[in-house]
Amino acid sequence: MSVAKPNQNADTMANAQESDRLDPLKAYRSRFTLPEGVIYLDGNSLGVLPAGLGDRMRDVIEHQWGERLVRGWNDAGWIDLPSRVAGKIAALVGTGANCVTVGDSTSINVFKVLSAALSLRPDRRVILSDRNNFPTDLYVADGLTRLLGQGYELKLATADTMEEAVDETVAVVLLTEVDYRTGERYDMEAMTKHIHGKGALAIWDLCHSAGAFPVHLDAAGADFAIGCGYKYLNGGPGAPAFLYVAERHLEDVAPALSGWMGHDAPFAFTTDYRPADGIGRMKVGTPPILSLSALNIALDAFEGVDMALVRQKSQELCDRFIAEVEHRCPELELVTPRVHEQRGSQVSFRHPEGYAIMQALIANGVIGDFRAPDILRFGMTPLYLRHTDILAAAEILERVLRQKLWDREEYRTRAKVT
Ligand SMILES: *Cc1c(COP(=O)(O)O)cnc(C)c1O
């Protein structure tokens, strides 16, 4: 492969600048605080800091907590904060606030919805998932089968074999819409229809969907869903996760984690558990007001945003990155589908030295991440990324590879978090 000629480079740059100039989302970049000298392609792992969040959190901490103290539960509306945040997330995932609740981690929410779904199919014993699913989903499903005993089991298939693996023994299918490693995307609506055709229920993990592109849970007929607050939703490290229950199941769901916040009357302090009406029963304990406040503030960055435009720009950024990287770095193997409908909002490449390459790239100002065994992952977040950022990232990646900047011992030493 030949080196890009100078005039070609100039054309590429002019094209990226023109795309930025015409970008209908360009004004939204000011809604975020981005560090100087960094191109951030990891918003799919930890979203960036929304602008003004620090000041608003100072108010929550010093005025609401510091001055209102316990009165804040009523005066500052803390007790209703989960519902307010749920309303904002519901709008992003294609449902109403009455079907979403916010709190706990995604892992715990997997347990909550899986156990709830199994109780709706008492005559079936199989949980079906994808072998390539994010491990915590599989670990929690496995743990639940061991807890339940009675012949419950977790079966695994892959995207290619998933449809045929759904049979009349399957109670619940637990799938992540977008594969965290490859970016490959399931057709949620078609797969849900297929699952229902076999009498099973569908749980969708939206960790790499919510805030990344339009999601239509109600229209897709999903039964349950879960998703992360700290990835595309920018809620901050370890932000509370969300959970969805389709309206038609709300009154039949029996929560396994029957905590007092999901009780019909928590402050009646009765001995017996009586689930709250509707989605409220999926709450467990006291809501984490500080982290929920941060997520609540962060979600304002989506106010007025047309998610269809986000999707369109995300695909343009993915296309641009793929074209530039394939042209400049032929030793990297694309693992993300080229077809727009078949992928989420990330681009991944494979290389045996992927870990060291990513460390060198980060040292040179481009932050992506590495996923074992050999995947370099780049998340596309259209609200704050520019076409010129994508071009610059590809140029730096090319330099890291051509000059073998990654070939140093220090870049091979794995950190605790990759
Ligand atoms: C990020 C992610 C999780 C994370 O779960 P936590 O409980 O927040 O650690 C779970 N599932 C998928 C598919 C993810 O991508």
Side-chain angles (χ1 to χ4, degrees):
M1 172 148 288
S2 63
V3 182
K5 296 188 184 73
N7 60 345
Q8 243 177 328
N9 281 343
D11 283 355
T12 318
M13 176 53 89
N15 179 290
Q17 285 170 338
E18 182 66 359
S19 298
D20 282 340
R21 200 178 62 76
L22 299 172
D23 176 7
L25 300 177
K26 65 183 169 193
Y28 294 124
R29 187 173 157 88
S30 65
R31 291 188 177 182
F32 301 92
T33 308
L34 300 159
E36 283 294 316
V38 164
I39 298 173
Y40 196 66
L41 303 181
D42 213 9
N44 54 331
S45 183
L46 176 65
V48 298
L49 175 66
L53 186 141
D55 288 339
R56 290 177 63 186
M57 282 305 288
R58 180 174 292 278
D59 178 66
V60 171
I61 291 168
E62 294 184 354
H63 293 109
Q64 293 184 16
W65 176 15
E67 290 168 17
R68 301 314 302 157
L69 293 168
V70 75
R71 294 170 292 185
W73 286 106
N74 291 313
D75 301 3
W78 292 343
I79 198 67
D80 297 321
L81 189 56
S83 318
R84 293 206 299 280
V85 178
K88 293 179 184 180
I89 294 176
L92 291 172
V93 296
T95 188
N98 62 321
C99 292
V100 176
T101 187
V102 181
D104 305 313
S105 64
T106 302
S107 301
I108 289 174
N109 283 331
V110 168
F111 182 93
K112 286 157 64 178
V113 294
L114 252 184
S115 51
L118 289 176
S119 74
L120 297 177
R121 287 290 177 276
D123 50 338
R124 297 187 178 199
R125 288 287 178 273
V126 174
I127 299 169
L128 176 65
S129 192
D130 189 319
R131 184 172 296 286
N132 296 311
N133 202 345
F134 192 87
T136 203
D137 296 44
L138 302 181
Y139 300 160
V140 169
D142 182 55
L144 180 57
T145 63
R146 281 182 278 112
L147 176 68
L148 291 170
Q150 303 171 64
Y152 277 98
E153 59 176 321
L154 171 63
K155 285 192 175 167
L156 302 176
T158 55
D160 303 347
T161 58
M162 193 56 65
E163 280 199 4
E164 57 183 301
V166 189
D167 61 24
E168 269 76 18
T169 66
V170 175
V172 184
V173 185
L174 168 64
L175 296 175
T176 297
E177 186 184 14
V178 177
D179 184 296
Y180 73 106
R181 267 187 296 233
T182 63
E184 207 173 323
R185 181 180 178 182
Y186 273 102
D187 181 334
M188 192 197 293
E189 190 169 348
M191 186 56 85
T192 300
K193 197 173 260 178
H194 177 75
I195 291 165
H196 288 168
K198 301 288 178 183
L201 296 170
I203 299 176
W204 289 97
D205 186 326
L206 302 176
C207 279
H208 296 276
S209 309
F213 48 77
V215 177
H216 305 289
L217 281 173
D218 287 346
D223 296 290
F224 296 87
I226 59 227
C228 228
Y230 54 80
K231 291 171 179 162
Y232 292 92
L233 299 181
N234 310 305
F242 68 89
L243 171 163
Y244 160 89
V245 180
E247 195 164 15
R248 61 186 176 281
H249 296 312
L250 281 174
E251 294 310 320
D252 302 322
V253 160
L257 295 182
S258 41
W260 74 307
M261 282 293 154
H263 192 279
D264 186 46
F267 289 89
F269 294 104
T270 57
T271 307
D272 297 325
Y273 176 75
R274 193 172 70 242
D277 272 347
I279 194 70
R281 67 181 61 181
M282 297 307 280
K283 289 191 245 176
V284 182
T286 304
I289 296 304
L290 297 185
S291 54
L292 260 180
S293 297
L295 177 58
N296 185 39
I297 295 163
L299 286 164
D300 288 346
F302 284 93
E303 203 182 307
V305 170
D306 179 347
M307 289 304 290
L309 292 177
V310 170
R311 175 64 175 169
Q312 190 185 329
K313 183 176 169 191
S314 151
Q315 293 304 328
E316 289 168 14
L317 297 175
C318 288
D319 284 343
R320 184 181 294 276
F321 194 61
I322 291 170
E324 290 297 330
V325 172
E326 287 194 321
H327 175 60
R328 296 160 187 274
C329 317
E331 60 271 63
L332 295 182
E333 181 198 341
L334 179 70
V335 296
T336 301
R338 289 174 202 279
V339 179
H340 291 186
E341 292 69 36
Q342 294 172 9
R343 69 188 187 207
S345 192
Q346 70 177 65
V347 175
S348 302
F349 293 95
R350 178 170 281 142
H351 191 287
E353 291 290 349
Y355 185 79
I357 294 168
M358 185 51 76
Q359 299 318 300
L361 197 58
I362 293 169
N364 283 275
V366 177
I367 302 182
D369 63 20
F370 170 80
R371 284 293 172 264
D374 56 0
I375 303 258
L376 294 139
R377 197 170 70 146
F378 302 93
M380 299 296 157
T381 45
L383 293 184
Y384 52 85
L385 281 177
R386 298 167 298 202
H387 290 268
T388 42
D389 294 327
I390 297 308
L391 179 57
E395 284 170 355
I396 296 168
L397 179 55
E398 177 184 19
R399 182 150 48 83
V400 164
L401 285 164
R402 267 181 208 281
Q403 299 177 9
K404 280 200 174 247
L405 300 180
W406 54 269
D407 196 7
R408 286 160 62 162
E409 206 42 48
E410 66 191 270
Y411 293 147
R412 292 206 179 81
T413 314
R414 304 253 169 137
K416 263 193 187 166
V417 177
T418 63

